[in-house]
Amino acid sequence: MSPPPAESFAPTADFFPSFAPTAGARLQPRASGLRRRLAGAMGLLVGPGVLAMLGENDGPSMLSYASSGASYGIGFFLPFILLTFAAAYVVQEMAMRLGAVTGRGYGELVFQRFGRFWGWVSAGDLVLTNFVTLITEVVAIRLGMGFFGIPAWGAVVCAVALVAAGSWGGRYSRWERLSAGLAVFNLVFVAVAVLARPSTTDVTHAVATWGPLPHAALSAFLLMVVSNIGATVTPWMLFFQQSASVDKGMTGSDIRKGRINTALGAVLAAIAGCAALLAAAPLFAHHVDMSRYEGGAGFAQALRPFIGAPGASLFALGLIEAGAVAMLTISASSAYAVGEVVKGAVCSFNASPKQAPLFHAVNIGMTLLAGLVVMIPGAPLMSISLNANLLATILMPSALVFLLMLGNDRQIMGAHVNGRLTNVLGVSITALTALAGGAYAVVGFLGAIGVKIG
């Protein structure tokens, strides 16, 4: 996909040549009223917004939410998770709107509007972060399958085969249905939370008061805060949702539906994320030392005495699902990012591997490399998993700055530029994300030189 000249960004009616197949499809004979309503409902339920949000409920994210519940209970982190998903909606709505209006992915727009240097920097940051995160997804699948006695090599083969199956077929709609079908099972964590029997009074009190506040060393508390931010607001989501919105064929007239789809995804993902925290809260209540379970690798085993074998099995299945959906979406975001900055490259699931070799090679190749890393004897897999969200938080502010600048660029957005409220919220999210990452870095540095804080 070669970059067009800057003047071509004016949002006119002929700005979306790549949408010809979708436009043609809309000229087909009208379906019955019931079929149209069902198709409309499915369009709201299945789309880039839902997939981005549920895809972000990946292996390290669900382990982060569970670790928060196991280490500190629900007092502070239950409402905090809800707040982070509200922030995710603001960010992802901008990404969706940019894709629908411009017909260009995030990486391509950065490349064209800010130059080759920043384009390659943003793509490079994303690919690095995504590779680290993909390793954690394979780890999550390995942990979940290991609970059922499946060996590590079997988990890796299943992970790579899943992404390869998503690449095969030459249709975005096919890939989207595969991802959406798996994403539904993110809600198994709700069943696990029910089996954990949380107190309605405690949940209400936590949401209303953000208390009781956890008692912990400042560095440990900040690590958990930063990890939860990185579990919800991450760079790959920008690349994925904006590019997937283009691949789906969305235009400016689809923005309202895109907002509903993104909001629905945020609500569903927030429910699942909070459920993971509530599911692990019995470990906090019973003072279970998770160091006995390899630093969180054995949440399912640790929970078995409190939620029973069915609940533990569902938790393990949830980890498998979380890793699987995230592998599909994160590998896709990497493929979009690389394809969008390479001149002449086709980057779309609507193209076959023969038509878009680079796109599909990146999509499958990164997953294969992540699987090989997981198979290395003695590799620090849990350390990588626990720090993946931290890396995402550190890299997110720069991506948000570019997103805000693009969203306010009237030359490419026309009447769809950011409103005042979106800008206020976007700037606040950027500042708080940078502050959280910076605070953890400062506290970590002071601790490393022997200065005790908290």
Side-chain angles (χ1 to χ4, degrees):
M1 188 181 295
S2 58
E7 60 268 18
S8 69
F9 278 97
T12 58
D14 59 351
F15 185 65
F16 306 99
S18 62
F19 294 162
T22 302
R26 290 174 180 172
L27 296 177
Q28 298 299 319
R30 295 173 63 87
S32 66
L34 178 60
R35 290 186 62 185
R36 289 200 308 272
R37 287 193 292 271
L38 288 175
M42 287 303 297
L44 295 177
L45 290 171
V46 179
V50 168
L51 294 180
M53 293 294 184
L54 291 179
E56 185 47 32
N57 271 2
D58 58 357
S61 296
M62 303 314 275
L63 287 173
S64 178
Y65 300 143
S67 295
S68 300
S71 302
Y72 302 112
I74 67 173
F76 173 84
F77 283 102
L78 184 63
F80 184 73
I81 291 172
L82 294 174
L83 180 65
T84 60
F85 275 105
Y89 169 78
V90 174
V91 172
Q92 293 306 118
E93 188 276 337
M94 281 191 279
M96 175 277 300
R97 184 159 31 89
L98 270 168
V101 173
T102 66
R104 300 291 185 267
Y106 175 85
E108 188 176 2
L109 281 181
V110 171
F111 193 93
Q112 294 167 4
R113 303 303 283 178
F114 303 108
R116 296 175 61 86
F117 174 79
W118 290 113
W120 282 109
V121 166
S122 63
D125 282 350
L126 179 81
V127 170
L128 172 62
T129 307
N130 280 4
F131 180 62
V132 174
T133 307
L134 279 172
I135 295 173
T136 69
E137 310 310 342
V138 182
V139 171
I141 294 173
R142 175 178 169 177
L143 293 176
M145 290 188 169
F147 181 81
F148 301 104
I150 298 174
W153 65 265
V156 171
V157 169
C158 289
V160 176
L162 175 66
V163 175
S167 250
W168 197 260
R171 283 187 177 276
Y172 171 83
S173 58
R174 180 179 180 276
W175 177 90
E176 185 180 67
R177 287 194 297 268
L178 173 64
S179 302
L182 288 171
V184 170
F185 293 97
N186 197 238
L187 296 176
V188 300
F189 286 100
V190 175
V192 183
V194 171
L195 292 172
R197 298 184 296 275
S199 166
T200 304
T201 302
D202 290 345
V203 170
T204 304
H205 179 75
V207 174
T209 67
W210 289 57
L213 294 175
H215 299 287
L218 182 59
S219 59
F221 176 71
L222 281 176
L223 175 60
M224 199 61 71
V225 168
V226 172
S227 181
N228 276 277
I229 293 174
T232 314
V233 184
T234 59
W236 77 260
M237 293 172 70
L238 305 183
F239 280 82
F240 169 75
Q241 183 162 358
Q242 186 167 335
S243 297
S245 297
V246 175
D247 218 357
K248 188 177 177 67
M250 293 177 64
T251 68
S253 62
D254 299 314
I255 289 177
R256 180 176 175 274
K257 292 180 180 179
R259 284 172 175 153
I260 296 174
N261 180 252
T262 303
L264 178 61
V267 170
L268 292 175
I271 291 171
C274 290
L277 179 139
L278 292 170
L283 301 176
F284 173 77
H286 291 86
H287 310 288
V288 175
D289 181 9
M290 285 305 297
S291 64
R292 296 163 44 203
Y293 297 92
E294 302 177 27
F299 266 108
Q301 292 91 332
L303 286 167
R304 189 198 295 264
F306 309 109
I307 62 177
S313 297
L314 286 175
F315 192 95
L317 287 172
L319 284 182
I320 296 171
E321 176 278 336
V325 174
M327 290 199 72
L328 287 168
T329 51
I330 293 173
S331 60
S333 75
S334 299
Y336 282 129
V338 173
E340 286 168 2
V341 297
V342 175
K343 185 176 181 179
V346 177
C347 48
S348 173
F349 279 108
N350 288 315
S352 68
K354 184 177 180 179
Q355 296 168 320
L358 178 64
F359 176 80
H360 290 285
V362 172
N363 187 42
I364 299 173
M366 283 193 64
T367 305
L368 179 60
L369 287 175
L372 292 175
V373 170
V374 172
M375 293 300 295
I376 296 175
L381 301 181
M382 286 310 300
S383 178
I384 294 173
S385 296
L386 294 174
N387 286 282
N389 290 339
L390 174 61
L391 179 63
T393 303
I394 292 173
L395 295 177
M396 190 64 188
S398 60
L400 288 174
V401 169
F402 284 129
L403 183 69
L404 283 165
M405 293 174 69
L406 290 169
N408 283 284
D409 190 334
R410 193 168 292 277
Q411 182 180 356
I412 64 174
M413 295 298 289
H416 296 289
V417 292
N418 289 353
R420 179 177 299 179
L421 178 60
T422 298
N423 281 329
V424 169
L425 293 174
V427 170
S428 300
I429 293 166
T430 304
L432 291 174
T433 302
L435 179 62
Y440 177 74
V442 170
V443 170
F445 172 76
L446 293 176
I449 62 176
V451 178
K452 290 186 176 181
I453 302 178

